Amino acid sequence: MQFPSTVSKWSVFEVSLKGTETGNPYLDVELSGRFSQGNRVVTVPGFYDGDGTYKVRFMPDNEGAWRFETVSSDGALDGKTGDFSVGPADAGNHGPVRVAHRYHFAHEDGTPYFPLGTTCYAWTHQPLDEQEKTLETLRQTKFNKMRMCVFPKDYPYNHNEPLHDVYLPKANGEGQDCDRPNFEAFRHFENQVKALGDMGIQADIIIFHPYDRWGYCMMSEAQDFRYLKYLVARLAAHHNVWWSLANEYDFLIDVKPMQRWDRFFHIIEENDPYRHPKSIHNGDPDANYDHRKPWVDHVCIQNWDVKRTVEWRDDFGKPVVNDEPEYEGNLVQSWGSITAEELVHRFWITVMRGGYAGHGETYVQPDDRLWWAKGGVLHGESYKRIGFLLDLIKEDVTTGLTPLGATPFGFPWNRVSGAGDENVTYVYFGEHQPVIWSSGFPQEDGDYEIDIIDTWNMTVTPAKKVPAPVPHPTRHGSVVRGGVADAAFGVELPGKPYLAVRVRPRGRKSA
Amino acid sequence: MQFPSTVSKWSVFEVSLKGTETGNPYLDVELSGRFSQGNRVVTVPGFYDGDGTYKVRFMPDNEGAWRFETVSSDGALDGKTGDFSVGPADAGNHGPVRVAHRYHFAHEDGTPYFPLGTTCYAWTHQPLDEQEKTLETLRQTKFNKMRMCVFPKDYPYNHNEPLHDVYLPKANGEGQDCDRPNFEAFRHFENQVKALGDMGIQADIIIFHPYDRWGYCMMSEAQDFRYLKYLVARLAAHHNVWWSLANEYDFLIDVKPMQRWDRFFHIIEENDPYRHPKSIHNGDPDANYDHRKPWVDHVCIQNWDVKRTVEWRDDFGKPVVNDEPEYEGNLVQSWGSITAEELVHRFWITVMRGGYAGHGETYVQPDDRLWWAKGGVLHGESYKRIGFLLDLIKEDVTTGLTPLGATPFGFPWNRVSGAGDENVTYVYFGEHQPVIWSSGFPQEDGDYEIDIIDTWNMTVTPAKKVPAPVPHPTRHGSVVRGGVADAAFGVELPGKPYLAVRVRPRGRKSA
């Protein structure tokens, strides 16, 4: 048995044990660890890692002395105990992300987390030098979440052979035996999850997907359940894990009925003591999973119609992450051909209606090395502006943005977008170009900093405060509408598209 | 009695009679005309025009000899007869517009009519030189429909006094007596309807609206019904009339319940023998009138979310005219602040999903002379591009555009827009910028003209035909998607936004 005597909070503590190699330990051997501090016990599944090696991984969430004991159907693995101590978290490790304030997220240490991520579905299945390039590119962006598939991808622009098969070959040589994991494949995948974690990037792990020539998506129910438990046992101790049950689950509904998807959520709940965020992604915009189900943490959707973000918040009562509002690119496929301007616009609309969004880049490349699938390098223009947006909200938002305007979401917020937090109010105009504005601004006058944000040119310019416009009243009979200013003051605007306004009380506490 | 001995088909034949001046003839005197050819009889209401003058107007729809006879509660007006002859229609008069091919429109002579109109709600209530300017501006545009209110408008940017009161002052001097029309006001209004008709522009007459300081929208039910019948009696003989029961009817629902709106439709049906197109316009995007009701001819809506056009076609089964997809301008009001680019984009999306749209322009003017309300001159950029779009479809479309893709409206047509008619197929990409395309193109190869349309720069450029892309198949188990080209050929595109492609068989019959 091997294990370290000390480990940092929210990092991976790993016990390595030797046990049986006979039979198929993946199928046959049960193993778990009981980790305790005083009367508190956390039970985690262990897993087989090949060559008679078994592992139990644990992510401690509290400093001090911990003790563990193993429980196994294999006598050689059962009843092993050990003591270790947990020190302070490493710099930059804020602990796993949880839903916070109903519609938002925060790390376990309370640091707000605003998911503005990107997508490289099959990046861990590319040649190693390409994977290095992906990590290097990520270092130059602000993205803080990565959508990535456990299984390789067979799809347009995804024809190449994966770095590793996920299972070992069948004895008869005809395809892979989905009862025999290729441990090297899983080790590589989790190393890349860790690499992202070290960079502060959440790994949004896509567990199933329909784009497959190897038979992975055709596994039996028992194989699906076993794979899922195995994946959770291996990965859950990484602080930066998110569980995405599928990409486009509805394109798999013919082979995996709804009950199986529900059960997948339960299996994660049974095996992940850290309660990493979990959700599931749809293909058809009209086929959202019922995110009201209690085991779903946040709403993950694919939908280009981003002005509906408030509707999704209201429908499901959970944080909304629009993980595919179409991609910047120029493909023949319409999900991958919008302009950089349009994707930035959709990010702003989404965030300024209280949601979050995901990036992808799909410019035609002669060698099919599209960022959205394979990582590598970025060619586009939207990622810089998305980083600018993230920097802005990190500067001022402490809880999370609440859309302006009540439910049902009336005028003008069904047309322009606006949101606020304790110390900041934003209005994003997008395709609108008013030359004066006041709706959503504070009702009480005071000492405010008011800035005009050019979302495309990434500039912030002090704005001129002016009296709020007083509209001419509209009336019929006893009904009089308008005729009073809707805020304590207004702002002059230059009358061009893709602008936002930010209003902050001067002398506020910084985020 | 006065009437002309001859008149052109689809023009106004008017009989003028002298009758009683005592009492209130507007309330008391019933008058109608029975116009006949052989056994065919068309009955039309007459109306009082002040100073003891009564009129009966008729729009003949057939050449040859006609006869009329009046019927009245006033003996002096009753039983008058006359003969007249109807000659060929004047050049450019194609007869009234009707719904054609379920989702489209055509004039009575079969000429297709594609409503791409504009809005000058209160233009007939402005000073006369301003009204002249409006007509002059219209001559320089291609707009073929005008939304305009019978009553003047009290609203932001609409503070000035109208040219005429619609009713005469009350005897006590306190406001207007809605039982006593100001005949001069109606004469002026109908003259401007005629002026538009002479230019080939449909007058989309807005009968009620909520923006009122004179009490017009607070008339009693009996006054509403009488006014409506009077309006129809005066105006229906103009070939270019459309009936729009309201602008933003739902903002009047507190004083005019739904049953009254339904009854308004019935009153028009009872009094308009020519069956001019009739509909009703909503304020709140979620408050569409139920356009499935059988007395509604076409769907008139206000909605900025124009990719839903196919949904509205499907919901109501009638032509869709989006009469307020927001306006080009820079107002503080968000319905009036979108860029020219965005309005042109929304027109293309709407038309390329089988609908029609309306223009308005709302740039801040120092003297509040906004085109959308008062007419005058245009300052914007969208109207030229809308004219370009209308010219394009008039060149090739004979029936009306049918959206590509079946119901429910799946990929890629939920993202990009495409439509076809007998001899033409268009795909409009908008915010999408693919570098190759084939979806929606003909299944059979042949001799086609393929052009790239730059919708903003108004250019048409021959395109390079290339083999249709053959997508990599996607599969799981027995399900294989893709792997075959979806059309006989494709086209190369320059990879920029706001483009469309047009495909036409060479040697086709022109529209």
Side-chain angles (χ1 to χ4, degrees):
Chain A
M1 182 167 67
Q2 291 188 324
F3 61 91
S5 61
T6 180
V7 75
S8 325
K9 188 162 94 161
W10 296 320
S11 65
V12 180
F13 173 82
E14 182 180 282
V15 185
S16 182
L17 305 125
K18 279 289 174 183
T20 182
E21 282 188 70
T22 60
N24 185 341
Y26 176 71
L27 298 183
D28 302 333
V29 177
E30 292 290 325
L31 171 64
S32 61
R34 293 164 50 85
F35 291 78
S36 56
Q37 274 194 317
N39 287 318
R40 180 182 176 215
V41 180
V42 180
T43 302
V44 302
F47 61 91
Y48 185 55
D49 200 28
D51 299 324
T53 301
Y54 293 78
K55 287 177 174 164
V56 180
R57 288 181 181 156
F58 175 63
M59 179 183 71
D61 60 1
N62 194 43
E63 295 179 38
W66 284 81
R67 185 174 172 73
F68 71 84
E69 179 179 2
T70 62
V71 179
S72 179
S73 57
D74 178 357
L77 302 169
D78 189 49
K80 307 289 183 190
T81 62
D83 294 276
F84 62 102
S85 76
V86 174
D90 297 329
N93 187 344
H94 300 285
V97 167
R98 282 102 174 55
V99 170
H101 313 291
R102 183 156 194 173
Y103 293 109
H104 303 286
F105 300 93
H107 291 276
E108 193 163 300
D109 76 352
T111 307
Y113 171 74
F114 310 109
L116 296 186
T118 187
T119 307
C120 303
Y121 287 122
W123 77 278
T124 66
H125 300 287
Q126 305 310 309
L128 288 171
D129 58 335
E130 278 298 304
Q131 297 189 38
E132 267 315 299
K133 221 180 277 175
T134 303
L135 292 169
E136 182 51 39
T137 300
L138 285 172
R139 274 180 209 108
Q140 290 156 33
T141 75
K142 310 276 176 133
F143 293 124
N144 59 17
K145 184 165 78 68
M146 169 65 88
R147 279 181 71 74
M148 53 195 283
C149 300
V150 180
F151 292 120
K153 193 169 179 183
D154 179 78
Y155 199 67
Y157 319 102
N158 288 260
H159 312 165
N160 61 336
E161 288 303 314
L163 184 63
H164 299 291
D165 287 337
V166 179
Y167 294 97
L168 298 173
K170 279 185 184 159
N172 65 7
E174 290 174 1
Q176 298 173 37
D177 180 350
C178 295
D179 288 331
R180 296 187 178 274
N182 177 5
F183 305 104
E184 197 183 349
F186 284 92
R187 279 192 290 264
H188 176 71
F189 187 79
E190 69 206 19
N191 282 342
Q192 296 300 49
V193 169
K194 181 177 186 316
L196 294 175
D198 292 345
M199 295 163 63
I201 296 173
Q202 303 295 308
D204 199 358
I205 295 170
I206 297 168
I207 299 172
F208 296 101
H209 67 255
Y211 308 113
D212 178 37
R213 67 172 177 264
W214 302 274
Y216 300 135
C217 77
M218 297 300 292
M219 295 192 298
S220 70
E221 183 178 81
Q223 288 173 324
D224 277 353
F225 290 167
R226 203 178 295 121
Y227 153 72
L228 179 55
K229 182 176 174 181
Y230 185 77
L231 196 70
V232 175
R234 290 197 74 113
L235 282 162
H238 291 276
H239 65 89
N240 62 318
V241 161
W242 290 37
W243 306 116
S244 183
L245 261 62
N247 214 59
E248 303 188 326
Y249 85 97
D250 47 316
F251 296 163
L252 274 173
I253 203 82
D254 55 337
V255 290
K256 299 190 202 298
M258 190 59 87
Q259 297 90 318
R260 203 186 297 183
W261 296 106
D262 294 347
R263 179 70 194 135
F264 289 156
F265 277 104
H266 305 167
I267 289 172
I268 296 176
E269 292 201 334
E270 289 162 13
N271 290 284
D272 171 9
Y274 320 109
R275 298 173 293 112
H276 290 293
K278 54 191 183 311
S279 191
I280 181 168
H281 170 273
N282 60 292
D284 184 326
D286 291 325
N288 289 339
Y289 183 84
D290 179 2
H291 297 291
R292 279 177 302 232
K293 290 179 179 174
W295 44 78
V296 182
D297 291 309
H298 60 280
V299 180
C300 171
I301 52 163
Q302 168 175 199
N303 205 304
W304 55 260
D305 197 5
V306 294
K307 283 190 181 168
R308 294 177 56 195
T309 300
V310 176
E311 178 188 328
W312 302 317
R313 278 171 55 118
D314 290 348
D315 284 353
F316 300 116
K318 297 180 182 181
V320 171
V321 185
N322 190 339
D323 266 317
E324 206 180 321
E326 301 185 327
Y327 303 127
E328 179 188 351
N330 60 6
L331 299 187
V332 66
Q333 291 87 357
S334 299
W335 43 256
S337 66
I338 62 170
T339 61
E341 289 84 348
E342 180 69 19
L343 185 58
V344 173
H345 179 53
R346 291 185 187 179
F347 264 75
W348 272 87
I349 290 174
T350 301
V351 171
M352 294 305 154
R353 291 174 182 240
Y356 301 98
H359 163 272
E361 194 188 280
T362 48
Y363 284 105
V364 172
Q365 302 297 331
D367 54 3
D368 278 353
R369 287 193 204 166
L370 280 60
W371 171 264
W372 133 93
K374 298 183 180 171
V377 294
L378 284 161
H379 303 270
E381 289 295 328
S382 64
Y383 75 91
K384 303 166 203 167
R385 280 82 186 176
I386 294 165
F388 173 72
L389 167 59
L390 182 58
D391 283 347
L392 283 173
I393 61 175
K394 283 169 86 168
E395 188 180 336
D396 290 298
V397 178
T398 52
T399 299
L401 288 168
T402 300
L404 299 178
T407 302
F409 211 40
F411 183 83
W413 310 110
N414 52 353
R415 299 171 189 256
V416 299
S417 307
D421 192 46
E422 191 184 349
N423 278 323
V424 66
T425 300
Y426 304 95
V427 179
Y428 173 62
F429 302 103
E431 74 278 25
H432 291 268
Q433 52 178 356
V435 290
I436 187 168
W437 190 263
S438 63
S439 298
F441 287 1
Q443 299 292 319
E444 299 284 317
D445 203 359
D447 189 12
Y448 292 98
E449 281 183 274
I450 313 173
D451 296 293
I452 296 172
I453 298 166
D454 184 322
T455 66
W456 182 256
N457 293 309
M458 298 183 282
T459 59
V460 179
T461 315
K464 187 176 170 196
K465 185 175 165 181
V466 295
V470 176
H472 182 73
T474 63
R475 58 197 143 193
H476 59 274
S478 59
V479 180
V480 178
R481 292 194 188 87
V484 291
D486 60 4
F489 55 88
V491 66
E492 270 186 13
L493 290 160
K496 50 182 246 186
Y498 302 130
L499 300 182
V501 170
R502 179 179 65 184
V503 179
R504 305 181 296 181
R506 217 180 290 273
R508 71 199 168 276
K509 215 176 66 188
S510 293
Chain B
M1 183 167 66
Q2 291 188 323
F3 61 91
S5 60
T6 179
V7 75
S8 325
K9 187 162 94 161
W10 297 318
S11 65
V12 180
F13 173 83
E14 183 180 283
V15 184
S16 182
L17 307 123
K18 279 289 176 185
T20 182
E21 282 187 71
T22 61
N24 185 341
Y26 175 71
L27 297 183
D28 303 332
V29 177
E30 291 291 323
L31 170 65
S32 61
R34 293 165 50 83
F35 291 78
S36 56
Q37 274 193 317
N39 286 318
R40 179 181 176 216
V41 180
V42 179
T43 302
V44 303
F47 62 92
Y48 185 55
D49 200 28
D51 299 322
T53 300
Y54 294 78
K55 288 178 175 164
V56 179
R57 289 181 181 155
F58 175 64
M59 178 184 71
D61 61 1
N62 195 44
E63 294 179 40
W66 283 82
R67 186 173 172 72
F68 70 85
E69 179 179 3
T70 62
V71 179
S72 179
S73 57
D74 178 358
L77 302 168
D78 188 51
K80 305 289 181 191
T81 62
D83 295 275
F84 62 101
S85 75
V86 174
D90 296 329
N93 187 345
H94 300 285
V97 167
R98 281 101 173 58
V99 171
H101 313 292
R102 182 155 195 175
Y103 293 108
H104 302 285
F105 300 92
H107 289 277
E108 194 165 299
D109 76 352
T111 307
Y113 171 73
F114 310 110
L116 296 187
T118 187
T119 307
C120 301
Y121 287 122
W123 78 278
T124 66
H125 301 285
Q126 306 309 312
L128 287 172
D129 58 335
E130 279 299 304
Q131 297 190 38
E132 267 315 300
K133 222 182 277 177
T134 304
L135 293 169
E136 182 51 39
T137 301
L138 286 171
R139 273 179 210 109
Q140 290 157 33
T141 75
K142 309 278 176 131
F143 292 125
N144 58 17
K145 184 165 79 67
M146 168 64 89
R147 279 181 71 73
M148 53 196 282
C149 300
V150 179
F151 292 119
K153 193 169 181 184
D154 179 77
Y155 200 68
Y157 319 102
N158 288 261
H159 312 165
N160 60 338
E161 289 302 315
L163 184 64
H164 299 291
D165 288 336
V166 179
Y167 294 97
L168 297 174
K170 279 185 183 159
N172 65 9
E174 291 175 2
Q176 297 174 37
D177 180 350
C178 295
D179 288 332
R180 296 187 179 273
N182 177 6
F183 305 103
E184 196 182 349
F186 284 91
R187 279 192 290 264
H188 176 70
F189 188 79
E190 69 206 18
N191 281 342
Q192 296 301 47
V193 169
K194 181 177 187 315
L196 295 175
D198 291 345
M199 295 163 64
I201 297 174
Q202 303 296 308
D204 198 358
I205 295 170
I206 297 168
I207 299 172
F208 296 100
H209 67 256
Y211 308 113
D212 178 37
R213 67 171 177 265
W214 303 273
Y216 300 136
C217 76
M218 296 300 291
M219 295 192 298
S220 70
E221 183 178 82
Q223 287 173 325
D224 277 352
F225 291 167
R226 204 177 296 121
Y227 152 70
L228 179 55
K229 181 175 176 182
Y230 186 77
L231 196 70
V232 175
R234 290 197 75 112
L235 282 162
H238 291 275
H239 65 89
N240 63 318
V241 161
W242 291 37
W243 306 116
S244 183
L245 261 62
N247 214 59
E248 303 188 326
Y249 84 97
D250 47 318
F251 297 163
L252 275 173
I253 203 83
D254 56 336
V255 290
K256 299 190 201 300
M258 191 59 87
Q259 298 89 319
R260 203 185 299 182
W261 295 105
D262 293 347
R263 178 71 194 133
F264 289 156
F265 278 104
H266 305 167
I267 290 172
I268 296 175
E269 292 201 334
E270 289 162 13
N271 290 285
D272 171 9
Y274 320 109
R275 299 171 293 112
H276 290 293
K278 55 190 181 314
S279 191
I280 181 168
H281 170 274
N282 60 293
D284 184 327
D286 291 325
N288 288 340
Y289 183 83
D290 180 1
H291 297 291
R292 279 177 303 233
K293 290 179 178 174
W295 44 78
V296 182
D297 290 308
H298 59 282
V299 180
C300 172
I301 53 165
Q302 167 174 199
N303 205 305
W304 54 261
D305 197 4
V306 293
K307 282 190 181 170
R308 294 176 57 196
T309 301
V310 176
E311 179 188 326
W312 301 318
R313 278 172 55 117
D314 290 349
D315 284 353
F316 300 115
K318 297 179 182 181
V320 171
V321 185
N322 191 339
D323 266 316
E324 205 178 322
E326 301 185 327
Y327 302 127
E328 179 188 352
N330 60 5
L331 299 188
V332 67
Q333 290 86 357
S334 299
W335 44 255
S337 67
I338 62 171
T339 61
E341 288 85 347
E342 181 68 19
L343 186 57
V344 173
H345 179 52
R346 292 184 187 179
F347 264 75
W348 272 87
I349 289 173
T350 301
V351 171
M352 294 305 154
R353 291 174 182 240
Y356 301 96
H359 162 273
E361 195 188 281
T362 49
Y363 284 105
V364 172
Q365 300 298 331
D367 54 2
D368 279 352
R369 287 194 202 165
L370 281 60
W371 171 264
W372 133 93
K374 298 183 178 170
V377 294
L378 285 161
H379 302 270
E381 289 295 327
S382 64
Y383 75 91
K384 304 166 204 165
R385 280 81 185 177
I386 294 165
F388 174 70
L389 167 59
L390 182 58
D391 282 346
L392 283 172
I393 61 176
K394 283 169 86 168
E395 188 178 337
D396 290 299
V397 178
T398 52
T399 299
L401 287 168
T402 300
L404 298 178
T407 303
F409 211 40
F411 183 84
W413 309 111
N414 51 353
R415 299 172 189 256
V416 299
S417 307
D421 193 45
E422 191 184 349
N423 277 323
V424 65
T425 300
Y426 304 95
V427 179
Y428 172 63
F429 302 104
E431 74 279 26
H432 292 267
Q433 52 179 355
V435 289
I436 187 169
W437 190 264
S438 64
S439 298
F441 287 1
Q443 299 292 319
E444 301 283 319
D445 203 359
D447 189 13
Y448 293 98
E449 280 183 276
I450 313 174
D451 296 293
I452 297 172
I453 297 166
D454 184 322
T455 65
W456 182 257
N457 294 309
M458 299 182 280
T459 59
V460 179
T461 316
K464 187 176 170 197
K465 185 174 166 182
V466 295
V470 176
H472 182 73
T474 63
R475 57 197 145 193
H476 58 275
S478 58
V479 179
V480 179
R481 292 194 188 86
V484 291
D486 61 2
F489 56 88
V491 66
E492 270 185 15
L493 291 160
K496 50 182 248 187
Y498 302 129
L499 299 183
V501 170
R502 178 180 66 185
V503 179
R504 304 181 295 182
R506 217 180 290 272
R508 70 198 169 278
K509 216 176 68 186
S510 294

